[in-house]
Amino acid sequence: MLAWTIYISFIGVLVLMLLPREAARAARIIALLTAIAGCAVAFVGAMQQANPGEVITIVKVPWIPSLGANYFLAADGISLVLVVLTGLAAIAGILFSWNIEKRTKEFFAYYLALIGGVYGVFLSFDVLLLFVFYELTIIPKYFLIARWGSTRKEYGAMKLALYSFVGSHLVLIGLIAAWVVARAQTGHATLDLMELSKVSFPLGFQHWVFPLVFVGFGILAGLWPFHTWAPTGHVAAPTAGSMLLAGVVMKLGAYGCLRVAMVLFPDGARMWQGEIAALAVIGIIYGAGVALVQKDFKFVIGYSSVSHMGFVLLGLATLNTIGLSGAVLQMFSHGIIAGLLFAVVGRMVYDRTHTRDFNDLQTMQLGKLLPFAGVTFVLAGVASMGLPGFSGFVAELQVLMGAWKVFPKTTMLAGVGIVAGVAYTLRAVQKAFYSDAVVPEKSGHDHPLEPISMPERIGAVMLITASLVIGLFPGLLLNWIQPCLNSPLFERLLKGGLL
Amino acid sequence: MNYLEVLRAAAPETALAITVLMVLSVDLIALRGESIARRFGIGALVSIIGCLMAVMFTFTHYGQTDPLHGLLVVDPLTNFLKLVLLALTVFTVLISASGKFTEHVGEYLALVLLATIGLMFLVSAEDLLMIFISLELASLSLYILTAFNKHNARSSEAALKYFLFGGMSAAFLLFGFSLLYGLSGSTHLPEIAAALKGRGLDPLLLVAIVTTVIGFGFKVAAVPFHLWAPDAYEGAPTPSAAFIASGSKVASFYILAKIMTMGFAGAEGSAVWHGYVSGWTPLIAVVAALSMVLGNLTAIVQSSVKRLLAYSAIAHAGYMLLGVLANTPSSRTALLFYVITYALTVLGAFGVVTVVEEATGGDALANFAGLSRRAPGLSLCLLVFLLSLAGIPPLAGFIGKFFVFSAVVGADADQLGLLWLVILAILMSAVSFYYYLRVLKQAYVLDAAENAPAIKVPAVTMFALVLLAVLVILLGCAPGLLLRHL
Amino acid sequence: MNLPWLTILILVPLFGGIIVAGVGAEQRRLARGLTLAFSLVGLTGALCLWQHFNAASGELQFVERHDWVPSLGIQYFLGVDGLGLLMVMLTAIVVPLSILASWRIDDRAHIYDALVLWLQAGLFGTFTALNFFHWFLFWELVLIPAFFLIKLWGGPKRGPAATQFFIYTMVGSVTLLLSFLAIRLATGSFDFIELANMAKRGEITAKLGDAIGWQSHIGLLVFFGAFLGFAVKVPVVPFHTWLPGAYTEAPSPVTMLLTGVMSKMGVYGFLRILLPIFPEQMRLVLTPLMWLAVLTIVLSACTAFAQRDLKRILAYSSINHLGYCLLALFAVTGAAAGVNQPELQKAAALDGVLLQMFNHGLTASSLFLFVWLIEKRSGGLRGLEDFGGIRKIVPVFTGLMGIALFSSLGLPGLNGFVGEFLIFKGVFPLAPWAAALSTIGLLVTAVFLLTLIQRVFCGPLNGRWAQMPDLTRRERLLVAVPIVLMFVLGIWPQLVLGTVDATVVKMVQQLNF
């Protein structure tokens, strides 16, 4: 049933392409309906899954027998969490793009294609199929940014596409090598994730394949120092693009790190644990530090994404149940929160004020003119800070607990990162909405700012509610994640392996 | 020797030869005074009918025969390749149907068919002499096809370069072949292999290997024998370039693989990292590596789409050479899959360029601006072709690359010795994405200039392009369809 | 009736805030009325709790305990003992006073009131929660309304003041969080009660060492993390630099809340969390801690003396008064070797701490209330030199504020005296030198408070204020509540002590090992 999330999205793409050129309204409605349908399927499918600790096969058909590749879609607890996230983020993105007038139907066609590809990645249990969906998302991303973006959109789009492409090709090298070695060891060719996870790759092999594949996926996850596409790309992208990019696409990278790199090469993961943790913490602190000095509102959020993904990567590096659980929860939480932050910056503020420079925003008294935006940003900001009651706190809690066990010094540095996070968020809140700066006598904006529209309100409430619900009742998601981590698929990673 | 048997075996080629004569005569006798479009139309019709006859003959004589002791080998694989070549010819004819670049329509079509005949013979040949003859037949036709656009001085320049290079490389090839004959006493490939077995690396053998590689390296436009390619692709009338890029590649690679693996069987050597052994494998490895690097890096700075495709062709030749040097059955299958899908894709790409060139008067990147608005169907086909060349799944180009790369790595499963080549290939492939994306950026992201001329796509060409695009997508999603026959 | 009283107590201001925020900017009177009503409901609830509280037992009462996220050891765990109840009571009294004081704040009144109610909810939650996750949620939640109350309605330098307040507190919170995560890792528990029992058996340090072995003094490190979190809140010198700015720039009704209740969060944290769970570590660093306490007391008093702004004087005085609590807290953890009847002394000291917390909360908030009343009449001026001899013009005001000032000074008969007396009574035997040095603080406090009285009320009349109106009827009623309480508690401290005594005895027993 969950496979329909993919198919519905692509059917939506086809329908949109057949629409006449000027049918903007119809395009929006069709896109929204498609996204809602996809999300509903995701929820229903997730509820139906009786045992999240098991990998439940959705469809498994032979594809290329000579390679051992199957069209194999399946879901376990972690896939469910991320599929639900995609569903929510998809709807929110469409709501916040309700005002796109330029070539609307193409925008939503690319958008839905991206969503379909993302669903595909989260549901693939065949490595080649996962790779296919992963690469498939690059093209819609490129066009979304290059055509509908803002600051330096062509440069940002190209940079993002190339980085993603290079990253995925690094993964390809590793995959081919692993396929060959697995075939030599087991005697038959396979690209099935479950079967490959049982193969004991030689330690020397894992020593170089793991970092290759991890970094390949990590580039998309914002692993420092390969993160430089992220701030440029996020700023260049249109609002929905940034929401999806930071919210969901970066999670593709992290998911790949976990599902492919770490599950297939557990000993390699153990060998490189310390380095990954170090890079993760550097990312946390660096992202937060650079966010603190930005003059452009959107850049602050872009760098904050790098910082938050650092937490995900730190959680992955801990290689214990609680750290990994925190990493997955942080993927979900940050997906929601980043979407919210970009929505405020891009849709609520920039589309109205046409500036993202703090010096200009300071004089606009947005806290009074756009109170809904102000409150939303405050809530999103405190959620992003990791305030208890919101989803980010439980996730960071778990990551830090997991990290304490293995990397005490790094954990303390991560604490510094949290404080820096507080600082830049506070700065952004103050400068953008509640500044005490003097309002110039004759401001350039004599026209009043248009009020926050209904789609924006619905989207904002939806996302805030999601974050609050998970923050207060994290058990809802943890009941999916934790049994999954106790399943045989992760056994070698968490407990033993060759080392 | 039963001539009837030979005729039966060579029935497809014969049918094509007759078609050549038919086309020439029909054009000469019946169509004087008609418009170029009309002449092309009727000539194309005749050619296509002839091709279809040849296809039919190929089907009806499916089997294994070798009536002339290696001069004409018919087996299921060669038959399939002939089908592919005929299909490519048909597509080429369809694409050139709107061509206004020449008045000599009959001659043009005849040359295309003659080149096809040459290639078909090439594919069936297992004898050095036959290989050379058919290669020359094809090449000479292609040289002239390159020069066909009399309105453009670059066409003649390109053809001359092509001819000079080609002639020289043919000389090299012949020299190598004569050495082989001298060393082994026969021109039949399996006999050569038997004679050379256990000989080790004779200096003469080494020279023979090198010259053969030079000869074929020129044919497939590998570095450092590629210097003719960019000019030829750019200067030639685009449908000719399309045919050069597609059909001749298929045949050349097939026969190169055959010669190397069958003829020089004992002298492979090894191109494994840290395990170098002299032979033809490391030689081809070097050529492949150079091609991939040079082709991709130079393509980045091109502003003419045809030149860009030329350099990308050099790069793709590099990838395909990897399939040759891996020297395992699965790598040969992978090579064939790759080269066939590549041929289809690049034919389509050149087809799109033909239309755009015709409509806007040039093939610079700027001429493609706003294509998605001006000709949505056409630019969609372009999207499919270029993404397939870049290796984006689920298109055929990606599967082809995956096959070749996994076969190459799998050739030395224990130590993964050939991995360095694959790493290089994959990294260069990542680089290639940039320049393909640049073209797509023009088409999809940028807006057309104010007074950009409208683009009208001839129905026949559109049909061909759509069919090619569908094939590319289909083979990408279900490669089994093609693999079955390899 | 077996209702979840404490949860209701917390939810009433929480939902009340949401309702008030929805009222809209136009209906200020409605907003204010609703707010006052909600806060009075809270007060009633607290009084009921007080009534039904079994003072003879030192155990937790009105306990609610539910599993929340079992896999992480997180429970929804509420309960009050004497200490918690006292703090809840304090909150319930001070918040309505603050609301009444801010009756005339017009700008976005509904948001202001909502924020105050949410602050109250957060405070109620902090003082009743007993599982770290649950407690931390409310601890952090208090910061947001406080930040916005300072930032949006404060004085000229409110931006930096609010930011500094927020960031300082957050740094402390982060270290607190890290420490508790380490504890959870080592002991498997987030439960304060369970952890306290473990600490009594001396298990915590050993378990920390086992779980995180990279540092031989990991116990100390974890202790410092938690210490920092509370030290910033109290505040302890040198982590106090955020306080004068925040207290001064915040509108005085907000300062009432800040000094009246929020500062008690820090001391509460010490009592509830730090002392029971880290007694070993506190003993190890006892001497430096005592020095810090003494420094806090003396330095803040001296600095107060040097100030010219009434609010700043009172701010530093706040630090000073809470310093005595710290002094007692640290002294109580000492091994008390060679002391006659150590339990008795410790009990006295802890009794003093609790009383001081309550009394200071009352007194300090009423002092800021008086300053607010002056500000309203002077158009915002509140410098020491701005006034003079106004007792002739506003005698009632002088009298009442005088009472409050003398209570702060520690005049016997008023509530301020009892707490300080008990503290010194307990601390002198336990840590004589520290106690002796702290008396300097008492002295200096007397000096600056008397100076204040002299400058503002006595001396030649500053002609400017010749027309200053005295307290209106309403204001007198408002002020009467704390003043009366000051007298009552001064004469009959048993009112409070009776309820908390059993708890104090239990705490002392907890610490004796």
Side-chain angles (χ1 to χ4, degrees):
Chain A
M1 165 140 209
L2 281 171
W4 278 98
T5 51
I6 309 174
Y7 307 145
I8 289 179
S9 306
F10 283 115
I11 293 175
V13 175
L14 280 174
V15 172
L16 280 174
M17 286 200 333
L18 295 172
L19 283 180
R21 194 173 283 190
E22 307 309 326
R25 233 175 147 243
R28 284 184 203 124
I29 296 182
I30 291 179
L32 185 61
L33 287 175
T34 315
I36 293 180
C39 188
V41 168
F43 266 103
V44 172
M47 298 301 166
Q48 273 182 356
Q49 190 109 334
N51 184 1
E54 241 178 83
V55 175
I56 311 274
T57 306
I58 303 171
V59 56
K60 187 169 184 174
V61 191
W63 180 23
I64 310 177
S66 58
L67 291 176
N70 298 318
Y71 182 73
F72 182 18
L73 295 177
D76 66 3
I78 295 182
S79 320
L80 292 177
V81 170
L82 292 169
V83 163
V84 168
L85 169 68
T86 313
L88 290 173
I91 300 179
I94 294 182
L95 285 173
F96 282 107
S97 314
W98 212 251
N99 62 336
I100 298 236
E101 293 296 335
K102 212 170 54 156
R103 293 165 79 155
T104 315
K105 71 157 193 172
E106 285 163 38
F107 178 86
F108 285 115
Y110 287 126
Y111 185 91
L112 287 177
L114 182 56
I115 295 285
V118 170
Y119 276 129
V121 173
F122 289 140
L123 291 171
S124 297
F125 263 72
D126 177 286
V127 175
L128 185 61
L129 188 63
L130 193 147
F131 188 81
V132 166
F133 278 118
Y134 192 81
E135 288 243 309
L136 226 136
T137 60
I138 299 183
I139 298 297
K141 264 190 312 200
Y142 173 77
F143 285 121
L144 272 177
I145 299 180
R147 246 252 150 233
W148 288 273
S150 54
T151 317
R152 292 171 89 196
K153 54 189 179 179
E154 281 159 39
Y155 170 74
M158 186 62 88
K159 194 168 180 182
L160 177 132
L162 285 177
Y163 267 72
S164 311
F165 204 69
V166 169
S168 59
H169 274 53
L170 289 177
V171 171
L172 186 64
I173 299 175
L175 285 185
I176 293 181
W179 175 80
V180 167
V181 172
R183 188 179 63 168
Q185 248 192 31
T186 60
H188 76 277
T190 178
L191 284 165
D192 184 324
L193 192 70
M194 310 288 292
E195 288 177 31
L196 281 176
S197 71
K198 298 198 185 76
V199 172
S200 302
F201 293 100
L203 286 180
F205 177 70
Q206 285 197 41
H207 187 83
W208 66 265
V209 161
F210 173 78
L212 194 66
V213 178
F214 192 88
V215 169
F217 280 118
I219 289 180
L220 201 58
L223 179 69
W224 191 91
F226 311 106
H227 67 286
T228 43
W229 62 269
T232 326
H234 287 144
V235 171
T239 304
S242 321
M243 288 172 70
L244 277 189
L245 263 184
V248 182
V249 169
M250 281 177 103
K251 314 302 174 284
L252 284 183
Y255 178 78
C257 287
L258 178 61
R259 183 70 85 196
V260 180
M262 288 168 71
V263 165
L264 291 185
F265 312 117
D267 307 300
R270 213 173 308 277
M271 284 186 244
W272 290 93
Q273 224 182 343
E275 284 80 356
I276 297 175
L279 287 179
V281 155
I282 296 179
I284 296 176
I285 298 183
Y286 175 82
V290 176
L292 199 52
V293 296
Q294 292 304 314
K295 296 207 188 65
D296 180 325
F297 199 2
K298 212 169 178 186
F299 265 106
V300 174
I301 314 296
Y303 278 105
S304 88
S305 288
V306 174
S307 187
H308 283 285
M309 287 306 288
F311 270 102
V312 174
L313 292 165
L314 182 61
L316 289 180
T318 60
L319 293 187
N320 54 45
T321 321
I322 201 164
L324 289 180
S325 168
V328 177
L329 197 59
Q330 174 77 336
M331 282 193 227
F332 183 90
S333 164
H334 179 250
I336 303 280
I337 294 174
L340 203 53
L341 288 170
F342 277 112
V344 171
V345 175
R347 175 73 186 93
M348 292 191 191
V349 174
Y350 183 65
D351 279 0
R352 290 176 171 80
T353 63
H354 300 294
T355 175
R356 293 191 307 252
D357 189 327
F358 277 136
N359 291 329
D360 293 331
L361 290 174
Q362 267 184 328
T363 60
M364 287 191 205
Q365 301 266 307
L366 288 176
K368 292 213 169 87
L369 294 177
L370 296 172
F372 187 85
V375 171
T376 309
F377 190 74
V378 167
L379 289 174
V382 298
S384 144
M385 267 188 227
L387 199 79
F390 291 93
S391 49
F393 176 64
V394 189
E396 284 179 11
L397 190 94
Q398 291 189 297
V399 167
L400 288 173
M401 261 204 265
W404 252 128
K405 212 184 239 176
V406 200
F407 310 113
K409 285 180 253 190
T410 319
T411 313
M412 297 203 284
L413 286 175
V416 173
I418 301 181
V419 176
V422 171
Y424 71 69
T425 313
L426 209 60
R427 176 174 173 264
V429 167
Q430 295 213 49
K431 289 215 172 196
F433 290 98
Y434 300 109
S435 162
D436 300 325
V438 176
V439 181
E441 274 304 310
K442 178 105 171 76
S443 62
H445 334 273
D446 292 324
H447 52 91
L449 297 177
E450 75 178 59
I452 308 280
S453 62
M454 188 48 79
E456 290 171 272
R457 284 177 196 256
I458 300 177
V461 168
M462 195 178 92
L463 292 176
I464 296 179
T465 315
S467 185
L468 267 175
V469 165
I470 301 300
L472 293 173
F473 304 105
L476 290 175
L477 287 182
L478 288 178
N479 283 339
W480 285 341
I481 302 177
Q482 275 165 341
C484 174
L485 288 174
N486 292 330
S487 77
L489 196 63
F490 290 93
E491 207 179 302
R492 283 198 307 163
L493 184 64
L494 294 172
K495 279 151 200 155
L498 291 174
L499 276 178
Chain B
M1 194 142 36
N2 193 347
Y3 278 107
L4 200 57
E5 218 181 284
V6 174
L7 202 60
R8 219 180 287 150
E13 289 85 351
T14 322
L16 272 186
I18 297 178
T19 319
V20 170
L21 295 171
M22 294 280 310
V23 167
L24 283 172
S25 9
V26 164
D27 191 61
L28 185 62
I29 298 170
L31 295 175
R32 286 286 141 195
E34 302 275 355
S35 66
I36 295 185
R38 200 111 211 283
R39 286 161 67 195
F40 240 120
I42 298 191
L45 195 61
V46 176
S47 322
I48 292 178
I49 293 176
C51 288
L52 289 174
M53 297 286 306
V55 167
M56 209 183 67
F57 281 129
T58 322
F59 269 123
T60 53
H61 296 291
Y62 232 75
Q64 182 103 10
T65 54
D66 185 4
L68 290 171
H69 198 61
L71 289 178
L72 186 69
V73 173
V74 177
D75 66 36
L77 186 56
T78 58
N79 272 340
F80 182 72
L81 286 173
K82 287 186 197 176
L83 286 175
V84 171
L85 287 168
L86 288 165
L88 289 171
T89 315
V90 169
F91 279 120
T92 312
V93 168
L94 283 175
I95 287 173
S96 37
S98 61
K100 298 182 198 57
F101 48 85
T102 176
E103 294 121 24
H104 306 287
V105 172
E107 288 83 345
Y108 178 81
L109 290 168
L111 281 168
V112 171
L113 291 170
L114 280 172
T116 312
I117 297 176
L119 292 173
M120 285 169 74
F121 273 124
L122 183 59
V123 159
S124 323
E126 262 180 29
D127 184 288
L128 293 179
L129 278 179
M130 196 61 203
I131 292 175
F132 186 73
I133 294 173
S134 29
L135 202 56
E136 281 302 286
L137 175 57
S139 305
L140 286 170
S141 316
L142 290 177
Y143 302 153
I144 306 177
L145 280 172
T146 313
F148 241 75
N149 190 351
K150 289 210 172 153
H151 304 297
N152 189 351
R154 304 188 74 160
S155 186
S156 328
E157 181 192 336
L160 199 61
K161 274 195 195 156
Y162 194 7
F163 171 59
L164 287 173
F165 269 93
M168 205 166 66
S169 74
F172 269 104
L173 200 60
L174 202 53
F175 183 61
F177 281 175
S178 58
L179 281 178
L180 267 183
Y181 177 65
L183 284 171
S184 61
S186 158
T187 56
H188 189 199
L189 279 180
E191 284 173 24
I192 297 177
L196 291 178
K197 199 201 297 253
R199 272 287 205 97
L201 213 53
D202 209 289
L204 278 181
L205 184 59
L206 202 55
V207 176
I209 293 178
V210 172
T211 52
T212 312
V213 169
I214 292 177
F216 275 102
F218 158 80
K219 201 78 197 87
V220 303
V223 171
F225 322 110
H226 67 288
L227 296 164
W228 62 271
D231 292 317
Y233 282 39
E234 194 189 8
T238 316
S240 313
F243 192 60
I244 299 174
S246 57
S248 71
K249 282 257 164 70
V250 174
S252 314
F253 267 106
Y254 176 68
I255 210 65
L256 175 64
K258 207 181 238 181
I259 295 179
M260 288 293 152
T261 52
M262 222 193 265
F264 295 117
E268 300 98 33
S270 168
V272 165
W273 192 257
H274 291 313
Y276 171 79
V277 176
S278 296
W280 56 264
T281 352
L283 183 61
I284 295 199
V286 171
V287 170
L290 286 173
S291 308
M292 294 190 286
V293 173
L294 194 99
N296 278 313
L297 291 181
T298 328
I300 294 179
V301 296
Q302 299 306 317
S303 57
S304 148
V305 176
K306 289 210 293 198
R307 271 189 104 82
L308 189 142
L309 285 173
Y311 280 106
S312 99
I314 296 173
H316 281 276
Y319 304 137
M320 294 187 237
L321 282 173
L322 288 183
V324 172
L325 76 93
N327 202 15
T328 63
S330 61
S331 73
R332 276 194 286 283
T333 316
L335 168 67
L336 285 174
F337 183 91
Y338 192 101
V339 80
I340 292 174
T341 50
Y342 172 76
L344 291 170
T345 315
V346 87
L347 190 59
F350 271 110
V352 174
V353 176
T354 314
V355 175
V356 174
E357 201 182 23
E358 203 97 352
T360 62
D363 70 318
L365 275 175
N367 292 50
F368 282 78
L371 196 65
S372 59
R373 284 264 133 154
R374 293 152 75 188
L378 190 69
S379 62
L380 199 62
C381 292
L382 182 67
L383 182 78
V384 171
F385 295 135
L386 289 183
L387 290 183
S388 175
L389 287 176
I392 300 268
L395 299 170
F398 168 70
I399 298 284
K401 282 198 173 127
F402 192 83
F403 274 140
V404 169
F405 295 153
S406 47
V408 170
V409 176
D412 181 15
D414 300 313
Q415 292 134 322
L416 301 179
L418 290 173
L419 190 62
W420 68 276
L421 276 170
V422 169
I423 292 179
L424 189 62
I426 290 183
L427 288 177
M428 286 298 116
S429 177
V431 170
S432 75
F433 187 55
Y434 172 67
Y435 56 79
Y436 290 126
L437 207 57
R438 271 175 74 210
V439 183
L440 290 174
K441 186 172 88 162
Q442 290 287 334
Y444 275 90
V445 176
L446 298 180
D447 286 317
E450 285 299 302
N451 48 355
I455 297 185
K456 206 179 155 319
V457 188
V460 160
T461 317
M462 195 67 210
F463 170 71
L465 291 175
V466 169
L467 197 56
L468 282 170
V470 168
L471 269 176
V472 167
I473 300 177
L474 199 63
L475 290 176
C477 294
L481 295 173
L482 182 58
L483 281 175
R484 233 181 312 180
H485 301 284
L486 297 175
Chain C
M1 264 203 293
N2 225 356
L3 284 181
W5 290 112
L6 290 177
T7 309
I8 295 178
L9 192 66
I10 299 174
L11 287 179
V12 162
L14 192 66
F15 284 116
I18 297 178
I19 295 174
V20 169
V23 157
E26 317 308 309
Q27 294 141 298
R28 287 185 219 112
R29 298 203 78 203
L30 180 63
R32 284 192 205 113
L34 276 175
T35 317
L36 187 61
F38 281 118
S39 65
L40 287 176
V41 169
L43 180 59
T44 323
L47 284 170
C48 285
L49 282 176
W50 189 274
Q51 267 302 87
H52 292 281
F53 185 74
N54 180 3
S57 140
E59 298 299 324
L60 283 176
Q61 298 173 36
F62 306 108
V63 172
E64 297 165 40
R65 198 171 192 152
H66 308 283
D67 271 339
W68 191 352
V69 185
S71 54
L72 291 174
I74 297 176
Q75 282 187 324
Y76 182 76
F77 183 15
L78 290 179
V80 279
D81 59 4
L83 171 63
L85 186 64
L86 191 65
M87 291 294 103
V88 165
M89 199 65 221
L90 180 64
T91 312
I93 295 176
V94 174
V95 169
L97 286 178
S98 167
I99 293 175
L100 284 167
S102 61
W103 208 253
R104 291 273 165 245
I105 293 187
D106 279 343
D107 177 27
R108 290 172 290 190
H110 63 299
I111 302 287
Y112 178 93
D113 290 326
L115 288 172
V116 171
L117 281 175
W118 286 328
L119 191 62
Q120 186 179 35
L123 287 167
F124 278 149
T126 316
F127 292 134
T128 53
L130 291 165
N131 179 291
F132 176 74
F133 182 84
H134 179 194
W135 175 86
F136 194 67
L137 197 128
F138 285 107
W139 174 266
E140 295 282 90
L141 224 52
V142 165
L143 290 179
I144 307 293
F147 171 78
F148 278 107
L149 283 169
I150 302 177
K151 171 82 173 144
L152 295 178
W153 287 276
K157 296 211 217 68
R158 57 188 187 269
T163 312
Q164 207 182 11
F165 158 74
F166 197 79
I167 300 219
Y168 257 77
T169 321
M170 274 306 248
V171 172
S173 301
V174 168
T175 58
L176 185 59
L177 176 67
L178 286 178
S179 296
F180 263 88
L181 290 181
I183 289 188
R184 152 85 185 164
L185 206 67
T187 62
S189 172
F190 267 142
D191 186 322
F192 290 154
I193 310 299
E194 207 180 310
L195 287 171
N197 288 336
M198 273 197 227
K200 187 158 181 185
R201 299 192 290 266
E203 291 171 6
I204 300 235
T205 318
K207 289 199 177 189
L208 276 174
D210 283 337
I212 308 173
W214 66 282
Q215 253 279 12
S216 51
H217 294 297
I218 184 71
L220 259 181
L221 203 63
V222 170
F223 163 72
F224 276 131
F227 177 77
L228 192 62
F230 299 117
V232 174
K233 249 321 207 230
V234 176
V236 179
V237 164
F239 309 110
H240 68 289
T241 42
W242 62 270
L243 189 143
Y247 279 29
T248 318
E249 296 306 320
S252 295
V254 174
T255 318
M256 286 172 69
L257 290 171
L258 286 175
T259 182
V261 198
M262 278 182 69
S263 54
K264 309 301 172 292
M265 283 166 74
V267 186
Y268 173 83
F270 271 102
L271 276 171
R272 175 70 75 210
I273 300 173
L274 212 60
L275 248 66
I277 301 182
F278 296 103
E280 250 179 76
Q281 283 76 23
M282 286 193 78
R283 275 207 191 148
L284 274 174
V285 290
L286 192 59
T287 319
L289 284 180
M290 294 295 281
W291 278 109
L292 272 183
V294 172
L295 198 64
T296 307
I297 295 171
V298 176
L299 199 66
S300 55
C302 295
T303 322
F305 180 57
Q307 298 304 316
R308 291 280 157 262
D309 178 334
L310 282 180
K311 276 175 92 166
R312 279 187 97 89
I313 296 178
L314 293 173
Y316 279 104
S317 163
S318 236
I319 305 179
N320 167 273
H321 281 89
L322 289 172
Y324 298 118
C325 294
L326 288 175
L327 183 68
L329 281 173
F330 296 151
V332 158
T333 50
V339 174
N340 192 9
Q341 286 183 305
E343 290 91 29
L344 211 61
Q345 315 301 349
K346 289 190 185 183
L350 282 180
D351 270 330
V353 169
L354 263 68
L355 260 179
Q356 176 78 334
M357 283 166 77
F358 191 83
N359 290 330
H360 173 259
L362 205 55
T363 313
S365 54
S366 47
L367 278 174
F368 277 101
L369 177 59
F370 282 115
V371 172
W372 175 239
L373 292 173
I374 291 187
E375 273 184 306
K376 281 206 290 183
R377 286 159 172 71
S378 71
L381 283 178
R382 48 172 198 253
L384 206 54
E385 311 301 331
D386 289 330
F387 305 96
I390 61 174
R391 71 186 164 101
K392 300 196 192 86
I393 310 295
V394 287
V396 180
F397 180 81
T398 311
L400 292 175
M401 185 165 181
I403 295 175
L405 283 169
F406 277 115
S407 164
S408 179
L409 208 153
L411 198 70
L414 293 169
N415 62 346
F417 169 69
V418 197
E420 288 175 11
F421 173 72
L422 280 173
I423 289 178
F424 276 101
K425 175 177 183 294
V427 173
F428 250 122
L430 295 170
W433 281 107
L437 284 171
S438 307
T439 49
I440 301 178
L442 286 175
L443 202 62
V444 179
T445 306
V447 171
F448 73 73
L449 282 177
L450 287 171
T451 313
L452 196 154
I453 295 178
Q454 202 266 334
R455 288 281 164 77
V456 173
F457 296 111
C458 307
L461 174 58
N462 188 333
R464 213 158 155 193
W465 309 118
Q467 304 302 324
M468 190 190 281
D470 206 343
L471 291 182
T472 66
R473 203 59 128 48
R474 267 199 192 147
E475 289 166 351
R476 281 181 220 197
L477 279 173
L478 176 61
V479 168
V481 174
I483 297 289
V484 165
L485 273 174
M486 282 181 214
F487 275 111
V488 167
L489 286 171
I491 299 170
W492 188 34
Q494 195 57 25
L495 188 64
V496 167
L497 281 180
T499 315
V500 304
D501 212 23
T503 314
V504 167
V505 170
K506 183 156 185 284
M507 269 194 240
V508 174
Q509 276 173 354
Q510 180 79 30
L511 292 170
N512 264 353
F513 57 94

